Structures are given as C-alpha cells and as structure tokens.
C-alpha cells in the first residue's frame, strides 16, 4: 500500500497479526449499528455514530471535550494506533476517521476492505464485548481546515467557477441530477429540493473501491478524480447527503492521494437542499 501518499491503511492480515498488541486498538463503526452485536473482531470496541458523535439537541457534533471523554471511555490512549473499520466499504469508519481527525486525534488508520473483507476471508468474529480500562485522553483541538460550513461552500462557488476550486458531489447520478432526493432503498430525509450544488462534479464514492471493499490503487484513484478536473492544486470541497459518503471520498483525496486542501461539507445536501437562498442545479427533466 506504499503507493498512497500517507501510511493510513492496514490490511486484514496486519490486523490479524496485531490483535494482541497492547498499543493497537480496534474500533468498529457500522451504518447498521446492530452488526457489532452479531459479531466483531476480537477486542474491538463499538462506536455508535448516532449516539457518540452528534449533539443531543443541536444539529452539530459533540464538543472536543466530549470526544476526549469518549476516547477515554473506550480505553484509548494518546499514543495508541487506532484502527477503524466497518460495513459498507468503510463508509462510516471513514466518517469517524474524518471526524476524529477534525477533532485533533492522531495515529488513525482504516482497515482496508472493512468488515466485509474480514468476514469474507473467514476470519474470527466474536460476540464477546471487551471491557476496556478507562483512560484520561488529553484535551483536543479542532482542525477547522478540514470542515466546510454552508456559507463557506457558498463563497467557494466563485473559486469553482474560476477554476481555482473544485466541488465533488459523491452521491449517485440520480441524486445528482435531481431525479431522486435520496439513495435507493433509503428513507427520504426531508430534503425539499433535488439537484446539486452549482459547478459540482459527480464522482460517486463507490468508484473509489474494488468489489471486496478495498480502495483502488493510487494511479486508478488519481485518474478518476483528475479525469473530472479535481486536481491537487485546487481547493476541494466534498459533500453527499449527510457526509458519510463524502468522508470516504475526503479520505481518498486527502489521505490516499495527498491533496493538500480538502474539506468535508458535513451539512451536505440535507442542509443545502433545504436552505433559503442557496442556488442549485438540476439536470433531470420529467418526460
């Protein structure tokens, strides 16, 4: 995996070999939050993205202090190598990776291929839930350069138009065109308008993965994005519907390809599509 810009992936083999290492900690983050209870990698703890990362009453993340508390509760120490993995080719594991990186956590890795590859290889899964010894995780400082807010996205439209910036919509072509307002087989999440942010390029997140859930090679990934004009010299913002798929693409661009300026717009289409005064483009026309 050395052709990637950063050393941020580990293989299923590597994880199997390091299951008993004291300073290697596994965290499972699934879209289907019940999967963990049906069997997980021995020693892995569960992170519930709905409960652990989002504020109870505000539509925003928990504070950096709460992230330190969460990591302490999970028994994570500052110098541990934290390996994240999950279902759906690491969708939500990539979301947790982005969120924790944004929160200032260092030493994170993704297990390439995620839960599906581990299971497909017939590796051990257990229902035994570990009881980690709580730690005191140090205070964290947020890195706001990794996150885009709605007004910043609106301001970014000029950079996109002038060729200085790029916007990547990682949703399905039907969502991008405005034909539908949600993914197939998923609930409509209250978005009033279909379409995309003006100037965005549609590069569905799954184009970056192989059938077994692993990431494509650096050369393949570079060709995928450069072919759409999303190059390393541009200021890039990625978005989807609620930022789980765009976190996956953010990981590809920033961590695997080494693009220096990539932000994740976590408000994504659920915010933009409902916001007053925000421009959209729609390419789907009713017959």
């Amino acid at each position: 995996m050395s052709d990637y810009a950063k050393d941020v992936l580990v293989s299923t083999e590597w994880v199997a070999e390091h299951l008993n290492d004291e300073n290697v900690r596994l965290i499972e983050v699934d879209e289907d939050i019940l999967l963990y209870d049906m069997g997980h990698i021995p020693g892995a703890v569960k992170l519930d993205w709905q409960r652990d990362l989002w504020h109870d009453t505000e539509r925003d993340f928990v504070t950096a202090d709460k992230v330190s508390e969460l990591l302490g509760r999970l028994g994570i120490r500052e110098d541990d190598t934290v390996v994240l993995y999950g279902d759906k080719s690491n969708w939500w594991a990539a979301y947790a990776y982005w969120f924790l990186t944004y929160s200032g956590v260092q030493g994170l890795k993704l297990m390439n291929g995620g839960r599906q590859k581990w299971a497909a290889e017939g590796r051990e899964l257990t229902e035994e839930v570990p009881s980690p010894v709580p730690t005191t995780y140090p205070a964290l400082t947020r890195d706001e350069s990794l996150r885009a807010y709605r007004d910043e996205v609106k301001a970014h439209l000029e950079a996109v138009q002038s060729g200085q910036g790029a916007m990547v919509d990682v949703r399905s072509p039907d969502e991008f065109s405005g034909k539908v307002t949600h993914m197939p087989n998923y609930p409509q999440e209250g978005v009033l308008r279909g379409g995309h942010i003006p100037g965005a390029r549609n590069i569905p997140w799954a184009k970056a993965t192989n059938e077994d859930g692993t990431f494509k090679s650096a050369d393949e990934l570079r060709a995928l994005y450069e072919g759409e004009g999303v190059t390393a010299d541009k200021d890039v913002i990625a978005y989807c519907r609620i930022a789980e798929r765009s976190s996956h693409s953010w990981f590809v661009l920033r961590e695997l390809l080494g693009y220096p300026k990539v932000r994740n717009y976590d408000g994504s289409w659920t915010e933009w599509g409902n916001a007053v005064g925000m421009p959209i483009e729609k390419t789907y026309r009713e017959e």
Side-chain angles (χ1 to χ4, degrees):
M1 299 179 194
S2 57
D3 56 342
Y4 297 121
K6 299 181 186 178
D7 180 21
V8 288
L9 289 178
V10 293
S11 65
T12 50
E13 290 83 2
W14 186 93
V15 171
E17 288 165 11
H18 292 81
L19 281 184
N20 297 315
D21 285 17
E22 246 184 63
N23 64 336
V24 173
R25 302 304 311 277
L26 301 173
I27 301 179
E28 181 165 330
V29 196
D30 297 315
E31 183 200 45
D32 179 353
I33 54 177
L34 301 177
L35 271 181
Y36 177 88
D37 302 321
M38 295 163 61
H40 48 267
I41 299 176
V45 292
K46 175 182 179 177
L47 190 152
D48 181 332
W49 53 271
Q50 292 176 320
R51 191 189 64 208
D52 295 333
L53 303 186
W54 291 349
H55 194 282
D56 281 347
T57 54
E58 295 175 21
R59 192 173 184 272
D60 205 347
F61 297 119
V62 296
T63 62
D65 289 349
K66 292 289 184 190
V67 178
S68 293
E69 279 178 31
L70 168 66
L71 295 171
R73 199 166 67 243
L74 295 176
I76 308 292
R77 296 163 304 192
E78 188 180 20
D79 55 353
D80 284 341
T81 296
V82 177
V83 179
L84 297 155
Y85 76 95
D87 60 353
K88 297 280 177 76
S89 304
N90 280 328
W91 259 17
W92 284 99
Y95 182 85
Y97 183 107
W98 168 75
F99 172 73
L100 292 173
T101 303
Y102 158 68
S103 296
V105 180
Q106 308 290 318
L108 298 171
K109 311 274 188 189
L110 278 189
M111 184 178 78
N112 202 13
R115 182 189 168 98
Q116 71 208 66
K117 189 167 193 289
W118 182 274
E121 291 169 350
R123 298 184 186 275
E124 184 184 356
L125 293 170
T126 180
E127 293 179 21
E128 190 178 324
V129 177
S131 303
V133 177
T135 62
T136 303
Y137 200 90
L140 290 164
T141 304
R142 293 246 152 106
D143 181 355
E144 292 293 346
S145 72
L146 304 182
R147 184 183 185 189
Y149 296 87
R150 188 187 71 194
D151 289 344
E152 292 173 332
V153 176
K154 190 176 184 185
H156 188 65
L157 298 182
E158 280 184 33
V160 173
Q161 210 168 18
S162 69
Q164 302 297 305
M167 189 95 64
V168 181
D169 183 320
V170 316
R171 297 174 302 159
S172 65
D174 280 352
E175 289 172 276
F176 180 81
S177 73
K179 183 179 181 181
V180 300
T181 54
H182 58 94
M183 287 183 288
N185 306 317
Y186 279 76
Q188 214 285 51
E189 290 175 310
V191 177
L192 298 176
R193 303 183 297 171
H196 57 267
I197 299 174
R201 309 298 296 190
N202 187 208
I203 310 174
W205 75 276
K207 286 191 172 184
T209 60
N210 297 306
E211 278 187 28
D212 65 354
T214 58
F215 291 97
K216 288 181 176 173
S217 71
D219 287 344
E220 290 173 302
L221 294 172
R222 207 170 285 110
L224 172 65
Y225 288 95
E226 289 180 357
E228 290 289 341
V230 181
T231 49
D233 59 327
K234 293 180 179 174
D235 177 358
V236 183
I237 292 177
Y239 75 92
C240 59
R241 165 188 69 112
I242 53 173
E244 84 291 20
R245 290 175 284 175
S246 56
S247 294
H248 192 278
S249 299
W250 171 90
F251 181 86
V252 168
L253 288 165
R254 186 177 184 271
E255 305 296 83
L256 299 186
L257 294 182
Y259 280 34
K261 190 154 191 195
V262 189
R263 288 176 285 169
N264 195 17
Y265 172 33
D266 58 281
S268 279
W269 194 255
T270 49
E271 176 179 50
W272 191 276
N274 281 335
V276 174
M278 295 297 132
I280 68 166
E281 284 180 351
K282 191 168 182 170
T283 53
Y284 176 73
R285 298 286 175 264
E286 296 281 352
E287 293 298 327

